[in-house]
Amino acid sequence: MAQHLDPADDLIFARCARRLIPFIILLYLVNYIDRVNVGFAALTMNQDLGLSPSVFGFGAGIFFISYLIFQVPANLILDRIGARRWVFVMLSVWGLISASNAFISGPRSYYTLRFILGIAEAGFFPGILLYMTYWFPDSWRGRFVGLFMAAIPMANVVGAPLSTTILGMDGIWGLHGWQWMFILEGLPATLFAFLTLKFLPDRPSRATWLTADEKQRVERILRAEVHQAEKSELWPALRDPRVIVLGIVMLGNQCTLYGVQLWLPQIVHGMGYSTFATGFVVSLCFILAMISMILWGRRSDIKGERIWHVAVPLMLAAIGLALTAAAPSPLLMLMAITLSLIGTLAYNGPFFSLPATFLTGTAAAAGIGLINSISSLGRFIGPWMVGVMKEQSGGYSSAMAAFSTIMLGSVLLFIVMGRRMAVRKLGYS
């Protein structure tokens, strides 16, 4: 890896991890539940409001159009004013907007509120990735990014049964179950905002739980990596071909991931499961993905390798999606979907460790934001594509086959460009 750390340094970074990572995971868990709970709301909301599959898919995806537009500016703001205050603002605002989805009354309000929610949430995910570069060297980031992003499957493991249970509150105080779901799952973000002021110091130099000597050691190690990075300025980072390629590869992955997970509750419900049972079945699909994601990110750090630790899961996802399209029974279809989820999620730790190997400072803020912005187009296309294809064919097989082809294209592009994206002097192969 970039640097060999002695045991004393490892202990310092381990303490930073114990202080920061659990809280960051909690925040991303809340963030992701607010982002994808519309998939569970659809089990009853679509019928209550008369939303067609294409309308639902378009509204689920339009969140990511505004998300795309505001990611780079949001990351630059975080780099300028600090994570503590900026994350506080984002959490406060998106919690209120998420809860206000309870007042959706038709397609127009559905599109509007999802678009505004995308603006509010745009800076959180790329901002936290940038924040980790302030605290941890490259040799630690793969496992921590993997742990952080384990909140994605965890949000489904926890959020799926929680959401379908809340849907059972239909009629209480004259509200539909899906309205209660948006309110009860949205407001915690606003409450957690105040905890960030206490538990999220901007930089190691602001951490009260590090000694002066420990702060200096952390800063020295991180400064050494900054000097090794190739780019630290805004515009060169935005023009870097590696940034563009990473964004396109992620676009394919996110098109698939969001197309599957936002429709998975309806896919499972259509197999004959009750609304309540659907939450638990969806939860089971994500448990293996969560475990694989954590272990794969750690393995990438131990091996000191990123490229194939990204390519192999993407190929696995392509295979899983092809099997999903051809599955002759609901059980085999669920097993194939689970395989595809393992692939689309396990790549995250190694993948999001790559930008910081050649970008730093403002360049890292802009580059990470641009990668995620490009990928957000896939998050819009995926759910909408499933809705359109379902209306045309009456099922999900054609969409799953299309996703398999998209994933295959992503992995081939990544392999071709892989060695150029890696920084040779850091030892990646």
Side-chain angles (χ1 to χ4, degrees):
M1 304 300 293
Q3 299 184 71
H4 176 71
L5 303 181
D6 65 39
D9 294 329
D10 281 331
L11 288 175
I12 296 172
F13 288 114
R15 190 188 317 156
C16 293
R18 287 194 298 270
R19 288 279 187 165
L20 297 174
I21 299 300
F23 183 61
I24 287 172
I25 291 173
L26 176 63
L27 295 182
Y28 194 35
L29 178 67
V30 172
N31 173 265
Y32 213 82
I33 288 175
D34 285 350
R35 187 185 304 181
V36 302
N37 60 7
V38 68
F40 296 98
L43 295 175
T44 57
M45 179 183 72
N46 286 4
Q47 183 175 353
D48 290 339
L49 301 180
L51 304 181
S52 68
S54 59
V55 168
F56 168 75
F58 184 82
I62 202 172
F63 170 100
F64 296 104
I65 297 299
S66 54
Y67 194 81
L68 179 159
I69 296 170
F70 288 94
Q71 295 223 350
V72 172
N75 241 23
L76 294 175
I77 293 172
L78 183 145
D79 190 52
R80 187 175 183 84
I81 72 172
R84 181 172 169 269
R85 286 181 291 174
W86 187 231
V87 173
F88 168 79
V89 171
M90 286 188 290
L91 282 163
S92 301
V93 174
W94 101 52
L96 295 175
I97 296 172
S98 181
S100 71
N101 276 255
F103 303 106
I104 291 171
S105 58
R108 183 173 297 177
S109 58
Y110 173 47
Y111 295 158
T112 301
L113 283 169
R114 296 303 295 178
F115 186 86
I116 296 172
L117 183 62
I119 296 174
E121 291 192 20
F124 181 77
F125 172 72
I128 293 298
L129 292 179
L130 177 64
Y131 182 69
M132 286 190 183
T133 69
Y134 300 161
W135 287 87
F136 302 108
D138 182 76
S139 56
W140 280 77
R141 278 198 297 270
R143 73 197 76 177
F144 288 152
V145 171
L147 279 171
F148 163 61
M149 298 190 70
I152 296 175
M154 194 185 305
N156 288 277
V157 171
V158 174
L162 175 65
S163 296
T164 53
T165 299
I166 296 174
L167 288 176
M169 296 174 62
D170 197 73
I172 296 178
W173 290 357
L175 296 176
H176 294 293
W178 58 268
Q179 292 177 300
W180 279 115
M181 188 203 71
F182 282 127
I183 293 170
L184 295 178
E185 292 181 356
L187 290 179
T190 300
L191 299 177
F192 284 137
F194 294 93
L195 296 180
T196 64
L197 300 176
K198 180 176 177 60
F199 295 116
L200 212 65
D202 288 328
R203 302 265 185 169
S205 60
R206 300 288 185 90
T208 58
W209 31 267
L210 290 176
T211 66
D213 178 65
E214 289 170 337
K215 292 175 183 178
Q216 291 175 2
R217 295 178 75 166
V218 170
E219 295 288 355
R220 185 182 68 250
I221 292 168
L222 295 177
R223 276 199 305 270
E225 288 200 345
V226 168
H227 293 317
Q228 290 177 321
E230 297 175 36
K231 291 184 173 68
S232 60
E233 297 178 357
L234 174 64
W235 294 113
L238 296 180
R239 296 193 302 267
D240 193 310
R242 291 168 295 186
V243 170
I244 305 301
V245 169
L246 286 173
I248 294 171
V249 170
M250 190 181 173
L251 185 154
N253 178 276
Q254 298 295 284
C255 178
T256 296
L257 175 61
Y258 280 84
V260 171
Q261 72 176 351
L262 288 177
W263 281 91
L264 189 55
Q266 294 182 72
I267 293 173
V268 172
H269 194 257
M271 295 177 180
Y273 292 96
S274 68
T275 299
F276 181 73
T278 292
F280 290 90
V281 174
V282 171
S283 177
L284 289 173
C285 291
F286 281 92
I287 289 176
L288 284 176
M290 181 172 64
I291 296 170
S292 301
M293 191 175 186
I294 295 170
L295 295 179
W296 196 249
R298 183 174 181 81
R299 186 181 189 276
S300 178
D301 277 353
I302 292 171
K303 297 292 185 180
E305 199 282 330
R306 302 299 190 208
I307 302 303
W308 289 105
H309 278 80
V310 173
V312 170
L314 293 179
M315 181 60 73
L316 185 67
I319 294 170
L321 290 160
L323 294 175
T324 301
S329 70
L331 178 60
L332 292 176
M333 186 177 185
L334 283 175
M335 292 173 64
I337 287 176
T338 301
L339 185 66
S340 71
L341 289 172
I342 289 172
T344 55
L345 291 170
Y347 95 117
N348 279 295
F351 181 87
F352 283 106
S353 296
L354 282 171
T357 63
F358 59 91
L359 301 174
T360 188
T362 302
I368 293 170
L370 181 59
I371 290 167
N372 212 39
S373 293
I374 294 170
S375 73
S376 294
L377 184 60
R379 296 169 187 150
F380 166 70
I381 294 171
W384 187 26
M385 188 169 75
V386 176
V388 171
M389 289 187 170
K390 185 178 186 299
E391 279 193 3
Q392 292 176 348
S393 66
Y396 299 98
S397 294
S398 58
M400 297 302 115
F403 287 151
S404 179
T405 303
I406 291 170
M407 289 298 288
L408 183 60
S410 291
V411 71
L412 291 176
L413 174 63
F414 187 79
I415 291 172
V416 169
M417 292 294 294
R419 291 187 178 276
R420 294 185 181 182
M421 289 189 291
V423 180
R424 293 181 183 275
K425 67 183 179 182
L426 295 182
Y428 294 123
S429 59

PDB file of all heavy atoms in Angstrom, residues 190-215:
ATOM      1  N   THR A 190     -33.542  14.563  11.253  1.00  0.00           N
ATOM      2  CA  THR A 190     -33.483  15.893  11.849  1.00  0.00           C
ATOM      3  C   THR A 190     -33.016  15.824  13.301  1.00  0.00           C
ATOM      4  O   THR A 190     -32.253  16.686  13.772  1.00  0.00           O
ATOM      5  CB  THR A 190     -34.861  16.572  11.761  1.00  0.00           C
ATOM      6  OG1 THR A 190     -35.234  16.690  10.378  1.00  0.00           O
ATOM      7  CG2 THR A 190     -34.840  17.948  12.395  1.00  0.00           C
ATOM      8  N   LEU A 191     -33.431  14.797  14.027  1.00  0.00           N
ATOM      9  CA  LEU A 191     -32.999  14.637  15.417  1.00  0.00           C
ATOM     10  C   LEU A 191     -31.508  14.310  15.488  1.00  0.00           C
ATOM     11  O   LEU A 191     -30.780  14.856  16.325  1.00  0.00           O
ATOM     12  CB  LEU A 191     -33.819  13.538  16.092  1.00  0.00           C
ATOM     13  CG  LEU A 191     -35.336  13.782  16.174  1.00  0.00           C
ATOM     14  CD1 LEU A 191     -36.035  12.585  16.801  1.00  0.00           C
ATOM     15  CD2 LEU A 191     -35.635  15.050  16.966  1.00  0.00           C
ATOM     16  N   PHE A 192     -31.035  13.426  14.601  1.00  0.00           N
ATOM     17  CA  PHE A 192     -29.618  13.050  14.598  1.00  0.00           C
ATOM     18  C   PHE A 192     -28.714  14.212  14.192  1.00  0.00           C
ATOM     19  O   PHE A 192     -27.516  14.205  14.494  1.00  0.00           O
ATOM     20  CB  PHE A 192     -29.377  11.870  13.669  1.00  0.00           C
ATOM     21  CG  PHE A 192     -29.817  10.547  14.228  1.00  0.00           C
ATOM     22  CD1 PHE A 192     -30.490   9.628  13.439  1.00  0.00           C
ATOM     23  CD2 PHE A 192     -29.564  10.211  15.547  1.00  0.00           C
ATOM     24  CE1 PHE A 192     -30.901   8.409  13.954  1.00  0.00           C
ATOM     25  CE2 PHE A 192     -29.963   8.993  16.073  1.00  0.00           C
ATOM     26  CZ  PHE A 192     -30.637   8.094  15.280  1.00  0.00           C
ATOM     27  N   ALA A 193     -29.271  15.202  13.504  1.00  0.00           N
ATOM     28  CA  ALA A 193     -28.468  16.345  13.080  1.00  0.00           C
ATOM     29  C   ALA A 193     -27.757  16.988  14.263  1.00  0.00           C
ATOM     30  O   ALA A 193     -26.587  17.382  14.163  1.00  0.00           O
ATOM     31  CB  ALA A 193     -29.355  17.369  12.370  1.00  0.00           C
ATOM     32  N   PHE A 194     -28.434  17.076  15.381  1.00  0.00           N
ATOM     33  CA  PHE A 194     -27.846  17.734  16.548  1.00  0.00           C
ATOM     34  C   PHE A 194     -26.715  16.902  17.156  1.00  0.00           C
ATOM     35  O   PHE A 194     -25.807  17.453  17.787  1.00  0.00           O
ATOM     36  CB  PHE A 194     -28.933  18.019  17.574  1.00  0.00           C
ATOM     37  CG  PHE A 194     -29.937  19.028  17.092  1.00  0.00           C
ATOM     38  CD1 PHE A 194     -31.104  18.622  16.452  1.00  0.00           C
ATOM     39  CD2 PHE A 194     -29.698  20.383  17.232  1.00  0.00           C
ATOM     40  CE1 PHE A 194     -32.023  19.554  15.990  1.00  0.00           C
ATOM     41  CE2 PHE A 194     -30.609  21.327  16.765  1.00  0.00           C
ATOM     42  CZ  PHE A 194     -31.781  20.908  16.139  1.00  0.00           C
ATOM     43  N   LEU A 195     -26.743  15.585  16.941  1.00  0.00           N
ATOM     44  CA  LEU A 195     -25.661  14.742  17.453  1.00  0.00           C
ATOM     45  C   LEU A 195     -24.370  14.953  16.672  1.00  0.00           C
ATOM     46  O   LEU A 195     -23.277  14.732  17.197  1.00  0.00           O
ATOM     47  CB  LEU A 195     -26.072  13.272  17.401  1.00  0.00           C
ATOM     48  CG  LEU A 195     -27.248  12.857  18.288  1.00  0.00           C
ATOM     49  CD1 LEU A 195     -27.536  11.365  18.124  1.00  0.00           C
ATOM     50  CD2 LEU A 195     -26.982  13.193  19.749  1.00  0.00           C
ATOM     51  N   THR A 196     -24.489  15.365  15.406  1.00  0.00           N
ATOM     52  CA  THR A 196     -23.269  15.581  14.610  1.00  0.00           C
ATOM     53  C   THR A 196     -22.417  16.703  15.206  1.00  0.00           C
ATOM     54  O   THR A 196     -21.197  16.690  15.060  1.00  0.00           O
ATOM     55  CB  THR A 196     -23.601  15.924  13.146  1.00  0.00           C
ATOM     56  OG1 THR A 196     -24.304  17.173  13.085  1.00  0.00           O
ATOM     57  CG2 THR A 196     -24.457  14.844  12.510  1.00  0.00           C
ATOM     58  N   LEU A 197     -23.050  17.667  15.839  1.00  0.00           N
ATOM     59  CA  LEU A 197     -22.304  18.768  16.428  1.00  0.00           C
ATOM     60  C   LEU A 197     -21.388  18.291  17.546  1.00  0.00           C
ATOM     61  O   LEU A 197     -20.366  18.924  17.838  1.00  0.00           O
ATOM     62  CB  LEU A 197     -23.273  19.830  16.962  1.00  0.00           C
ATOM     63  CG  LEU A 197     -24.197  20.462  15.909  1.00  0.00           C
ATOM     64  CD1 LEU A 197     -25.159  21.426  16.579  1.00  0.00           C
ATOM     65  CD2 LEU A 197     -23.386  21.157  14.825  1.00  0.00           C
ATOM     66  N   LYS A 198     -21.730  17.162  18.151  1.00  0.00           N
ATOM     67  CA  LYS A 198     -20.940  16.617  19.255  1.00  0.00           C
ATOM     68  C   LYS A 198     -19.976  15.528  18.811  1.00  0.00           C
ATOM     69  O   LYS A 198     -18.852  15.430  19.294  1.00  0.00           O
ATOM     70  CB  LYS A 198     -21.872  16.063  20.340  1.00  0.00           C
ATOM     71  CG  LYS A 198     -21.142  15.461  21.535  1.00  0.00           C
ATOM     72  CD  LYS A 198     -22.117  15.014  22.603  1.00  0.00           C
ATOM     73  CE  LYS A 198     -21.395  14.352  23.770  1.00  0.00           C
ATOM     74  NZ  LYS A 198     -20.421  15.231  24.429  1.00  0.00           N
ATOM     75  N   PHE A 199     -20.415  14.691  17.870  1.00  0.00           N
ATOM     76  CA  PHE A 199     -19.666  13.467  17.555  1.00  0.00           C
ATOM     77  C   PHE A 199     -18.905  13.505  16.229  1.00  0.00           C
ATOM     78  O   PHE A 199     -18.308  12.505  15.851  1.00  0.00           O
ATOM     79  CB  PHE A 199     -20.617  12.264  17.543  1.00  0.00           C
ATOM     80  CG  PHE A 199     -21.229  11.962  18.870  1.00  0.00           C
ATOM     81  CD1 PHE A 199     -22.597  12.068  19.061  1.00  0.00           C
ATOM     82  CD2 PHE A 199     -20.440  11.575  19.942  1.00  0.00           C
ATOM     83  CE1 PHE A 199     -23.170  11.778  20.293  1.00  0.00           C
ATOM     84  CE2 PHE A 199     -20.995  11.287  21.174  1.00  0.00           C
ATOM     85  CZ  PHE A 199     -22.362  11.397  21.355  1.00  0.00           C
ATOM     86  N   LEU A 200     -18.911  14.617  15.505  1.00  0.00           N
ATOM     87  CA  LEU A 200     -18.285  14.644  14.179  1.00  0.00           C
ATOM     88  C   LEU A 200     -17.306  15.813  14.065  1.00  0.00           C
ATOM     89  O   LEU A 200     -17.593  16.814  13.403  1.00  0.00           O
ATOM     90  CB  LEU A 200     -19.367  14.742  13.102  1.00  0.00           C
ATOM     91  CG  LEU A 200     -19.084  14.064  11.756  1.00  0.00           C
ATOM     92  CD1 LEU A 200     -18.993  12.558  11.933  1.00  0.00           C
ATOM     93  CD2 LEU A 200     -20.183  14.409  10.761  1.00  0.00           C
ATOM     94  N   PRO A 201     -16.131  15.724  14.690  1.00  0.00           N
ATOM     95  CA  PRO A 201     -15.146  16.802  14.550  1.00  0.00           C
ATOM     96  C   PRO A 201     -14.672  16.913  13.107  1.00  0.00           C
ATOM     97  O   PRO A 201     -14.570  15.919  12.391  1.00  0.00           O
ATOM     98  CB  PRO A 201     -14.007  16.371  15.479  1.00  0.00           C
ATOM     99  CG  PRO A 201     -14.167  14.897  15.638  1.00  0.00           C
ATOM    100  CD  PRO A 201     -15.635  14.626  15.536  1.00  0.00           C
ATOM    101  N   ASP A 202     -14.368  18.138  12.680  1.00  0.00           N
ATOM    102  CA  ASP A 202     -14.002  18.377  11.282  1.00  0.00           C
ATOM    103  C   ASP A 202     -12.729  17.652  10.870  1.00  0.00           C
ATOM    104  O   ASP A 202     -12.667  17.046   9.802  1.00  0.00           O
ATOM    105  CB  ASP A 202     -13.817  19.877  11.040  1.00  0.00           C
ATOM    106  CG  ASP A 202     -15.139  20.619  11.037  1.00  0.00           C
ATOM    107  OD1 ASP A 202     -16.145  20.027  10.627  1.00  0.00           O
ATOM    108  OD2 ASP A 202     -15.157  21.787  11.448  1.00  0.00           O
ATOM    109  N   ARG A 203     -11.700  17.710  11.708  1.00  0.00           N
ATOM    110  CA  ARG A 203     -10.390  17.149  11.379  1.00  0.00           C
ATOM    111  C   ARG A 203      -9.777  16.532  12.636  1.00  0.00           C
ATOM    112  O   ARG A 203     -10.218  16.817  13.756  1.00  0.00           O
ATOM    113  CB  ARG A 203      -9.455  18.251  10.860  1.00  0.00           C
ATOM    114  CG  ARG A 203      -9.954  19.009   9.638  1.00  0.00           C
ATOM    115  CD  ARG A 203      -9.408  18.430   8.375  1.00  0.00           C
ATOM    116  NE  ARG A 203      -9.787  19.216   7.198  1.00  0.00           N
ATOM    117  CZ  ARG A 203      -9.271  19.054   6.004  1.00  0.00           C
ATOM    118  NH1 ARG A 203      -8.318  18.149   5.812  1.00  0.00           N
ATOM    119  NH2 ARG A 203      -9.677  19.781   4.978  1.00  0.00           N
ATOM    120  N   PRO A 204      -8.744  15.709  12.480  1.00  0.00           N
ATOM    121  CA  PRO A 204      -8.068  15.163  13.664  1.00  0.00           C
ATOM    122  C   PRO A 204      -7.601  16.239  14.635  1.00  0.00           C
ATOM    123  O   PRO A 204      -7.601  16.026  15.849  1.00  0.00           O
ATOM    124  CB  PRO A 204      -6.878  14.403  13.054  1.00  0.00           C
ATOM    125  CG  PRO A 204      -7.354  13.999  11.697  1.00  0.00           C
ATOM    126  CD  PRO A 204      -8.211  15.137  11.226  1.00  0.00           C
ATOM    127  N   SER A 205      -7.213  17.403  14.121  1.00  0.00           N
ATOM    128  CA  SER A 205      -6.740  18.478  14.996  1.00  0.00           C
ATOM    129  C   SER A 205      -7.826  18.992  15.930  1.00  0.00           C
ATOM    130  O   SER A 205      -7.541  19.618  16.949  1.00  0.00           O
ATOM    131  CB  SER A 205      -6.201  19.642  14.158  1.00  0.00           C
ATOM    132  OG  SER A 205      -7.216  20.161  13.308  1.00  0.00           O
ATOM    133  N   ARG A 206      -9.102  18.697  15.599  1.00  0.00           N
ATOM    134  CA  ARG A 206     -10.216  19.141  16.430  1.00  0.00           C
ATOM    135  C   ARG A 206     -10.726  18.044  17.368  1.00  0.00           C
ATOM    136  O   ARG A 206     -11.683  18.269  18.110  1.00  0.00           O
ATOM    137  CB  ARG A 206     -11.373  19.596  15.534  1.00  0.00           C
ATOM    138  CG  ARG A 206     -11.031  20.741  14.594  1.00  0.00           C
ATOM    139  CD  ARG A 206     -10.879  22.043  15.356  1.00  0.00           C
ATOM    140  NE  ARG A 206     -10.666  23.172  14.466  1.00  0.00           N
ATOM    141  CZ  ARG A 206     -11.628  23.921  13.946  1.00  0.00           C
ATOM    142  NH1 ARG A 206     -12.897  23.621  14.207  1.00  0.00           N
ATOM    143  NH2 ARG A 206     -11.344  24.941  13.172  1.00  0.00           N
ATOM    144  N   ALA A 207     -10.123  16.866  17.319  1.00  0.00           N
ATOM    145  CA  ALA A 207     -10.609  15.734  18.115  1.00  0.00           C
ATOM    146  C   ALA A 207     -10.108  15.845  19.555  1.00  0.00           C
ATOM    147  O   ALA A 207      -8.904  15.804  19.803  1.00  0.00           O
ATOM    148  CB  ALA A 207     -10.157  14.417  17.498  1.00  0.00           C
ATOM    149  N   THR A 208     -11.026  15.958  20.492  1.00  0.00           N
ATOM    150  CA  THR A 208     -10.642  16.075  21.908  1.00  0.00           C
ATOM    151  C   THR A 208     -10.139  14.764  22.479  1.00  0.00           C
ATOM    152  O   THR A 208      -9.500  14.751  23.532  1.00  0.00           O
ATOM    153  CB  THR A 208     -11.846  16.550  22.737  1.00  0.00           C
ATOM    154  OG1 THR A 208     -12.934  15.621  22.567  1.00  0.00           O
ATOM    155  CG2 THR A 208     -12.311  17.934  22.284  1.00  0.00           C
ATOM    156  N   TRP A 209     -10.388  13.659  21.802  1.00  0.00           N
ATOM    157  CA  TRP A 209     -10.001  12.340  22.310  1.00  0.00           C
ATOM    158  C   TRP A 209      -8.668  11.865  21.737  1.00  0.00           C
ATOM    159  O   TRP A 209      -8.274  10.728  21.941  1.00  0.00           O
ATOM    160  CB  TRP A 209     -11.093  11.304  22.018  1.00  0.00           C
ATOM    161  CG  TRP A 209     -11.884  11.552  20.772  1.00  0.00           C
ATOM    162  CD1 TRP A 209     -13.058  12.237  20.663  1.00  0.00           C
ATOM    163  CD2 TRP A 209     -11.551  11.141  19.434  1.00  0.00           C
ATOM    164  NE1 TRP A 209     -13.479  12.277  19.353  1.00  0.00           N
ATOM    165  CE2 TRP A 209     -12.592  11.607  18.583  1.00  0.00           C
ATOM    166  CE3 TRP A 209     -10.485  10.425  18.887  1.00  0.00           C
ATOM    167  CZ2 TRP A 209     -12.587  11.371  17.221  1.00  0.00           C
ATOM    168  CZ3 TRP A 209     -10.482  10.191  17.519  1.00  0.00           C
ATOM    169  CH2 TRP A 209     -11.531  10.666  16.706  1.00  0.00           C
ATOM    170  N   LEU A 210      -7.950  12.748  21.026  1.00  0.00           N
ATOM    171  CA  LEU A 210      -6.579  12.473  20.599  1.00  0.00           C
ATOM    172  C   LEU A 210      -5.634  13.407  21.345  1.00  0.00           C
ATOM    173  O   LEU A 210      -5.945  14.584  21.555  1.00  0.00           O
ATOM    174  CB  LEU A 210      -6.415  12.692  19.092  1.00  0.00           C
ATOM    175  CG  LEU A 210      -7.096  11.701  18.138  1.00  0.00           C
ATOM    176  CD1 LEU A 210      -6.892  12.153  16.693  1.00  0.00           C
ATOM    177  CD2 LEU A 210      -6.584  10.289  18.336  1.00  0.00           C
ATOM    178  N   THR A 211      -4.477  12.882  21.736  1.00  0.00           N
ATOM    179  CA  THR A 211      -3.463  13.726  22.369  1.00  0.00           C
ATOM    180  C   THR A 211      -2.784  14.587  21.310  1.00  0.00           C
ATOM    181  O   THR A 211      -2.910  14.337  20.098  1.00  0.00           O
ATOM    182  CB  THR A 211      -2.402  12.875  23.079  1.00  0.00           C
ATOM    183  OG1 THR A 211      -1.662  12.135  22.091  1.00  0.00           O
ATOM    184  CG2 THR A 211      -3.045  11.901  24.071  1.00  0.00           C
ATOM    185  N   ALA A 212      -2.051  15.587  21.750  1.00  0.00           N
ATOM    186  CA  ALA A 212      -1.346  16.461  20.810  1.00  0.00           C
ATOM    187  C   ALA A 212      -0.376  15.671  19.943  1.00  0.00           C
ATOM    188  O   ALA A 212      -0.262  15.899  18.725  1.00  0.00           O
ATOM    189  CB  ALA A 212      -0.608  17.564  21.576  1.00  0.00           C
ATOM    190  N   ASP A 213       0.336  14.704  20.545  1.00  0.00           N
ATOM    191  CA  ASP A 213       1.274  13.883  19.792  1.00  0.00           C
ATOM    192  C   ASP A 213       0.548  13.018  18.763  1.00  0.00           C
ATOM    193  O   ASP A 213       1.010  12.867  17.628  1.00  0.00           O
ATOM    194  CB  ASP A 213       2.085  12.997  20.748  1.00  0.00           C
ATOM    195  CG  ASP A 213       3.052  12.084  20.009  1.00  0.00           C
ATOM    196  OD1 ASP A 213       3.984  12.610  19.363  1.00  0.00           O
ATOM    197  OD2 ASP A 213       2.859  10.837  20.058  1.00  0.00           O
ATOM    198  N   GLU A 214      -0.581  12.456  19.157  1.00  0.00           N
ATOM    199  CA  GLU A 214      -1.351  11.609  18.238  1.00  0.00           C
ATOM    200  C   GLU A 214      -1.887  12.427  17.068  1.00  0.00           C
ATOM    201  O   GLU A 214      -1.892  11.955  15.910  1.00  0.00           O
ATOM    202  CB  GLU A 214      -2.487  10.930  18.994  1.00  0.00           C
ATOM    203  CG  GLU A 214      -2.017   9.842  19.944  1.00  0.00           C
ATOM    204  CD  GLU A 214      -3.110   9.339  20.855  1.00  0.00           C
ATOM    205  OE1 GLU A 214      -4.101  10.074  21.077  1.00  0.00           O
ATOM    206  OE2 GLU A 214      -2.989   8.199  21.361  1.00  0.00           O
ATOM    207  N   LYS A 215      -2.341  13.635  17.323  1.00  0.00           N
ATOM    208  CA  LYS A 215      -2.816  14.496  16.240  1.00  0.00           C
ATOM    209  C   LYS A 215      -1.702  14.772  15.232  1.00  0.00           C
ATOM    210  O   LYS A 215      -1.923  14.731  14.019  1.00  0.00           O
ATOM    211  CB  LYS A 215      -3.336  15.813  16.819  1.00  0.00           C
ATOM    212  CG  LYS A 215      -4.598  15.682  17.648  1.00  0.00           C
ATOM    213  CD  LYS A 215      -4.978  17.017  18.281  1.00  0.00           C
ATOM    214  CE  LYS A 215      -6.187  16.876  19.175  1.00  0.00           C
ATOM    215  NZ  LYS A 215      -6.561  18.154  19.842  1.00  0.00           N
TER     216      LYS A 215
END
